[in-house]
Structures are given as C-alpha cells and as structure tokens.
Amino acid sequence: MEPVRSQINQERIEAEPPLKQKKLRKRKSWVPGLLLLVPILLFLFGFFVVPMLYILYLSFISTDSLSGAGAVYSLQNYITLFTDSYYLSSLWITVKISLLSSLVALILGYPIALTMAKSTPRMRAIITLLIASPLLVSIVVRNFGWYLLLLPNGTINSFLMNIGIINKPLNLLFSELGVVIGLSNAYLPFMVLAIVTSLYNIDPSLEKASAILGASPLRSFFSITLPLSLPGIVSGCVLVFSLSMSAYVTPALMGGANVPVMPVVVYDQINNLLQWTFGSALSYVLLATTLISVFIFTRAFEKSKFKEVFR
Amino acid sequence: MNTTVSDVEIKGATKQFGSNIVLDAIDLEVKQGELLTLLGPSGCGKSTTLNLIAGFLEADQGDVYIKGKKVTKVPPYKRDLGMVFQTYSLFPHMTVYENLNFGLKLRKISKAEQKEKIDRVLALVKMSGLEHRYPRELSGGQRQRVAIARALVVEPELLLLDEPLSNLDAKLRHELRLEIKRLQKEIGVTTIFVTHDQEEALSLSDRVVVMNAGKIEQISTPTSIYKHPKTEFVFQFIGKSNSFEGAVVAIDSQKISVKAGEEIVVVDYDNIIGEDRDISSGDEVKLYIRPENIHIASTRETSAPLELHPATITQMNYLGTSWEIDVSLIGKSLQVLTNDYDSSWREGREVFVGWNPSDLKLIKKE
Ligand SMILES: Nc1ncnc2c1ncn2[C@@H]1O[C@H](COP(=O)(O)OP(=O)(O)OP(=O)(O)O)[C@@H](O)[C@H]1O
Ligand SMILES: [Mg+2]
C-alpha cells in the first residue's frame, strides 16, 4: 500500500543534472567563489568586527582614560546603567517605541501587502513604486516634512481645531507618538515587502480548497492566508523593530529631549559628554536587548501552534 | 438509484478570456451517482468547465444547475461540493486530522461526530494512523489520498477531481485510479473527473465527455467512445490509429469501395464517422484503422477469411504484453499491435497483413 516514491522525490530526481557533471561543476566553482568573498570578509572584519570588539573592550573600563596606563577594568559602567532609572527608562522607551512602530507598520502594511498580492502585475509594480518612494527621500528632509504636518500650529492641528474636534493643539511632535508616527512611516516599506513575499508564496489553490469546503472569504483569510503569511509578518516585525531600536535621526528630530531613546542617549554620552566607556556599555546593552527581544519573538512563533509554517 | 435525475446541468455555457473563447456554448448533464470524466487535450477547457461547476468562474452566458437549483450566482463556499486539486492543496500548517476537520468544523457538528467521520473516511482511503502527520511528512500518494478524504468527509453533493493523479508515477496512478473507482461506487457520490489521459478516462468512467477546443465532441460510455467515435477528433484522440487517404470508386447499399494507392479496400456503410454521411463516387476520403485491428501472419494461409497483403517489417517494439510492429505496405507505413508473435520475425522480413472491413473507419474530407 505504501506508495513507491513520492512526487517530490521524483521531481527532484528529474531536476538534477547527471551526477558526474554536477560534481565537476561544483569542484570548479568552489574555490573562485570563496576568493570572491575575500574583499568583503576583509572589509567586514576591519570595519565591523574590530570596532565592535574595541567598543566591547571599552565598556569594561571604568576610568575615562582610554589608554592602558590608568585603566581599571570592572563592571562599573553596567552597574551604573542598571541602577540609574534614567537609563533604564530610556531603554524601556526605546523598546516600547520600537514595539509600537512595528505594530503600526504591521497594521498599515498588511492590507497594502494583501492588495499587492491580489492585483495584476502592472498594478503591483505601481504599488511597489509608491511604497518604496519614501526611501528615495532623505530621512532628514522627510522629518522636516512631518514637522509641517505635526507642529502645534501645523496642518493637522489647525485642521482639527478649525473643525472643532479639539480646542487645544495635540502633542503630536516632540512626543512618543510623533516618534512612532515617524518610525512606522519610515520603515513601512520593509514591512510591506516582507509580508508580500510570503503572501506570494501561498499556493492560490489553498484558498480555493478552503472555499469549496465551505469557508467564507473572511474565514479563509483567518484560517489559511493569515497563518501562512506569519513568516512574512515575523520577518517584517523583526526588521522594523531592529531598525527602530537603532534609529537615531527620526527620534532625535521627532522626539527631541522629550523622548530620550537609547541611540540618542549614546550619542549624547559619546559626542557631548565624551563618556566613551559608558557610551560603549550603553551600546552593548542596546544591542543585547535588541538581539534578545528578536530571539524571544521569533522563538515564540517557531514554537507556537503554527510552527509548521516556519519550516 | 434513480439514474434519470441529473445532478449537474450546464446549459449553453460560454466562457471567454479576452478574445479567447475557452468554452463555446457547452451543454452537459451529469446523472446522479455516475462517474463522468472530462477528457481532452491540454487547454481544451476541462478545468474551466470544472471551475464553472465549482463556482470559481462565472460563465459569460448560460447557466449551471446543481440538483435542479440554479447556482450560477452562488459563491463556491455555499455550493456544498467536494473538490480535489491537481496540486493536492492540503493546508500545510494543519495535520491530516485538522485538514479533514476543516470542512467539518464549518458544518457545526459535535466533536465526537467529527472524529467518527474522520476515522471512517481515513479507513476508506487506507490512511488510518497517520492523522497527526503534517502534509510535508507524507508521500505524494498519501497526500493525494488525504486530499480525496478531505473532499469526501463533508459528504458533498458532488465530487470534482481536476487531474488528481497527474503528478504521480505510473504504478501509483494505476493503484489510486482503481481506488477512486472503488470509493466512488461504495459511496455513490456523483463525480466529475478531469483528465487528459485517455486510458484513465476509459477505465474509470461510466461516461466520457471528449472535449476539444472549447466544444464537446462526444458524450458516451467508454466502449462506445472507443468503438463508435462520432468525430474524427475522437477517433484520433482515443487510442492509436493508422490513416490512409483515398477516393471512393463505387458504392452499393452496404459497402463503399475506396481506392487507396493501388489497392481497393471495402468499408462498411455503418463505419462512416462524422457529420457528413453523404458519400458519393469520386469523393476524397480518409480511412482509419486501429493497430490492434490489423492481423499479421507469417504466411498467407493462417488467417483464411481475411484478404492478406504482403508487407515488410520495418521496426519492432516490445511493450511487455504485446508487440508493436511497424510494417511497410506498398510504401505506406502501418502500425500493428499484436499478441501473437512469431520468433522468426525480424526487421526486413516479409509478412502478411489484413483486416476486417468492419474495422475500417471512413471519413469524408472537407
Ligand atoms: N484565468 C485565465 N485567463 C486567461 N486565459 C485562461 C485563464 N484560465 C484558462 N485560460 C485559457 O483557457 C483555456 C482553457 O483552459 P483550461 O484550464 O480549462 O484547460 P484544460 O483543459 O484544463 O487544460 P489542462 O489539461 O492543461 O489543464 C486555455 O487556453 C487557457 O490558456
Ligand atoms: Mg486543467
């Protein structure tokens, strides 16, 4: 009764070139392939690995003399950081804003991605262009554009006051809300493109199968399309979250001193207060927080009842 | 079972994609409990017909009736059908059990009843014990069984299968074909089966619908499709055939004499294929004969009642149970299919071939 050979195996066998030929090809291309990677590996080592290790080293020095002589190695920087409520609250604000930005980008991005996945190739190209166009404008220019909209006497507040919904201006700018608006807007394209990729990968006949079994379009969406697009949702959220955690320009311009997110605080420590060692410790705590959050988030999905989707 | 009730009826359905007329005023009736196959070459509109019945497409003109109710405007999820897709289309994030339960949950029946139905249908497709596997963990044949089980478990009014076996290897395809036939008879569900494999169609069906370029060529039982093709297309599409060209030289009340090359061959009047049965002397015609209807012998004496013609073997292919032998008959190549094989036959050897006039089909050239 057990079928002899599965369809997938068969396809794979047909698709593969004869063994001998394949081996030859592999041996030939292997070494030059690695050689091509040498420049980029050197580049990454020199300009990423070395400075990162140096910053890690600095973070364990508790005096401000950077040269070896008077340096005292300790965990003092980290202890200060975790006992001072200013830094802890900065970390919390950063996480909160990044989570909210991911959520807003997801809520706004999913319908766009869904529309894209269902439209004709021509329409899809147009939407892609529209979605990606903000990336073509410098982030600084865009931030000043938002100023015009969000200032207490800006377009949105004047409009709302004119029609009488509010009687004093909302704190849209220089608030957490402003930063979330800016970040979610800036990183929306990443969310949309991540989700749309996973929507494309869903076999359209699954939705047909679901319909013929009696599921309404809404039901099919929640039972089939949404779960199967989870990989896109997860990678989109991870992207937007990590980008938001490390964003500097948008929080600095949209939040100012009212919203001291970690990258702004780090910049302040290093560039204004010249606290290199403490700034280094702050950077590493930010990095670790991002990595741990992302790890927990993706793990949670990979262990959930939808784990099969992530294979 | 009342076989006069029709479960599905398509009346004058026309479907166009752009300027491409995919279905051209199709009329089709499917009787209760029967297994009907739609057979035809790729692109002839089989899937389109099925999609009209399922409700995934709407006809530009014409209507679809299921159990006497007009469903032309009813969306697929309200039609209560079962469908098996060419690509299996199992939900990858659900176990076999969850896949089968998907339709049942929408039908609001008790948990116990769900389990009972699933157990029953899994036994039916011989997949008991694999309910906690994910589709990824199944072989192609097993996935196909689950897909069939998923369509059956909701006890649909109608079962639609769109080339469900085309992704499988020959042996498995044969095995599952028999199983589908058994299941269908056991449950008695009206079934429409789409295929482009004529062997599959002939072996499975109660009736076969042969389609070509958006039109129905013939609807008949498998034997009648094979033995009494109505059109030239059907004759050529079903099974292999040899063809000759010739001209009518004489006609009497039962027989038509045709001069093909140097030979005069005689054809029964009943064996005219096609619409135009009005043959007169001098008409250009085509003659067809199936390879298995040509007799082949080493000497003239063996098949006494037939008129035998000398021919030369040009190629021999062993097919396992029979031989496919190409012979050259006065310069014309002819394919012969035979079980009686003489070990002295070689390429280049002279043999004798002949046929029964009743096996020759004739069609008038336009
Ligand atoms: N959505 C569509 N848009 C445009 N043309 C289509 C569409 N669907 C089908 N067609 C065309 O309609 C014709 C019939 O298609 P259909 O899928 O019914 O063929 P089929 O008989 O099922 O063939 P196959 O055996 O290859 O599955 C084909 O020429 C196809 O190109
Ligand atoms: Mg098809």
Side-chain angles (χ1 to χ4, degrees), chain A residues 52 55-60 75-84 86-95 241 245-246 261-263 265-266 270 276-294:
Chain A
M52 285 306 283
I55 290 175
L56 183 63
Y57 162 75
L58 286 183
S59 73
F60 292 108
L75 291 173
Q76 191 50 50
N77 288 327
Y78 290 96
I79 293 168
T80 312
L81 197 160
F82 283 113
T83 47
D84 188 329
Y86 177 74
Y87 301 112
L88 286 180
S89 89
S90 163
L91 192 60
W92 166 236
I93 290 171
T94 315
V95 171
F241 179 80
M245 286 290 281
S246 57
V261 295
M262 284 292 266
V265 173
V266 171
I270 292 178
W276 279 77
T277 57
F278 188 60
S280 302
L282 281 173
S283 322
Y284 261 91
V285 169
L286 175 62
L287 179 64
T289 311
T290 308
L291 290 178
I292 291 168
S293 315
V294 165

Side-chain angles (χ1 to χ4, degrees), chain A residues 150-169:
Chain A
L150 303 177
L151 276 169
N153 56 355
T155 319
I156 292 179
N157 273 321
S158 338
F159 175 73
L160 291 178
M161 282 184 4
N162 280 344
I163 62 171
I165 291 183
I166 52 174
N167 46 27
K168 69 177 200 295

Side-chain angles (χ1 to χ4, degrees), chain B residues 280-313:
Chain B
S280 49
S281 209
D283 280 350
E284 298 270 304
V285 294
K286 257 168 138 176
L287 297 174
Y288 283 110
I289 187 157
R290 301 248 189 238
E292 69 271 25
N293 289 336
I294 299 180
H295 298 261
I296 181 166
S298 302
T299 57
R300 260 185 204 282
E301 286 85 76
T302 32
S303 310
L306 296 177
E307 191 191 340
L308 291 177
H309 311 266
T312 315
I313 296 178

Side-chain angles (χ1 to χ4, degrees), chain A residues 9-295:
Chain A
N9 277 337
Q10 201 182 0
E11 273 178 1
R12 200 172 295 151
I13 286 162
E14 279 165 10
E16 267 173 7
L19 204 62
K20 213 171 159 190
Q21 209 184 333
K22 208 180 95 193
K23 264 193 180 159
L24 273 178
R25 202 180 298 157
K26 225 179 187 172
R27 199 175 299 155
K28 258 188 192 164
S29 62
W30 197 73
V31 174
L34 211 72
L35 276 178
L36 285 175
L37 288 180
V38 167
I40 182 67
L41 288 177
L42 280 176
F43 184 84
L44 279 178
F45 185 78
F47 293 98
F48 181 69
V49 178
V50 169
M52 285 306 283
L53 288 176
Y54 186 55
I55 290 175
L56 183 63
Y57 162 75
L58 286 183
S59 73
F60 292 108
I61 297 178
S62 47
T63 52
D64 271 340
S65 96
L66 296 184
S67 54
V72 178
Y73 301 98
S74 73
L75 291 173
Q76 191 50 50
N77 288 327
Y78 290 96
I79 293 168
T80 312
L81 197 160
F82 283 113
T83 47
D84 188 329
S85 67
Y86 177 74
Y87 301 112
L88 286 180
S89 89
S90 163
L91 192 60
W92 166 236
I93 290 171
T94 315
V95 171
K96 186 170 69 177
I97 282 176
S98 303
L99 284 176
L100 283 173
S101 302
S102 310
L103 191 67
V104 172
L106 175 62
I107 292 168
L108 295 177
Y110 202 96
I112 303 174
L114 205 58
T115 315
M116 261 174 93
K118 300 231 181 250
S119 50
T120 59
R122 200 193 147 91
M123 195 62 200
R124 208 177 283 164
I126 295 173
I127 301 178
T128 310
L129 201 69
L130 285 177
I131 288 298
S133 62
L135 296 177
L136 305 177
V137 181
S138 153
I139 188 94
V140 179
V141 175
R142 252 189 298 160
N143 273 287
F144 285 116
W146 291 326
Y147 268 28
L148 299 177
L149 284 176
L150 303 177
L151 276 169
N153 56 355
T155 319
I156 292 179
N157 273 321
S158 338
F159 175 73
L160 291 178
M161 282 184 4
N162 280 344
I163 62 171
I165 291 183
I166 52 174
N167 46 27
K168 69 177 200 295
L170 294 174
N171 269 340
L172 295 176
L173 208 56
F174 308 122
S175 66
E176 289 177 10
L177 180 62
V179 179
V180 170
I181 292 176
L183 288 176
S184 53
N185 180 307
Y187 299 135
L188 185 66
F190 298 102
M191 181 65 86
V192 172
L193 295 178
I195 295 173
V196 91
T197 311
S198 93
L199 286 173
Y200 286 154
N201 285 333
I202 302 177
D203 177 359
S205 73
L206 292 181
E207 231 169 277
K208 283 178 147 191
S210 152
I212 210 80
L213 285 165
S216 66
L218 200 67
R219 178 76 194 220
S220 290
F221 173 76
F222 283 110
S223 309
I224 311 297
T225 313
L226 188 60
L228 290 180
S229 64
L230 275 176
I233 294 179
V234 169
S235 55
C237 287
V238 165
L239 268 173
V240 175
F241 179 80
S242 328
L243 288 169
S244 301
M245 286 290 281
S246 57
Y248 172 77
V249 177
T250 303
L253 294 180
M254 304 285 286
N258 293 346
V259 193
V261 295
M262 284 292 266
V264 172
V265 173
V266 171
Y267 181 89
D268 212 37
Q269 288 292 328
I270 292 178
N271 285 48
N272 298 338
L273 306 174
L274 301 177
Q275 299 279 345
W276 279 77
T277 57
F278 188 60
S280 302
L282 281 173
S283 322
Y284 261 91
V285 169
L286 175 62
L287 179 64
T289 311
T290 308
L291 290 178
I292 291 168
S293 315
V294 165
F295 180 78

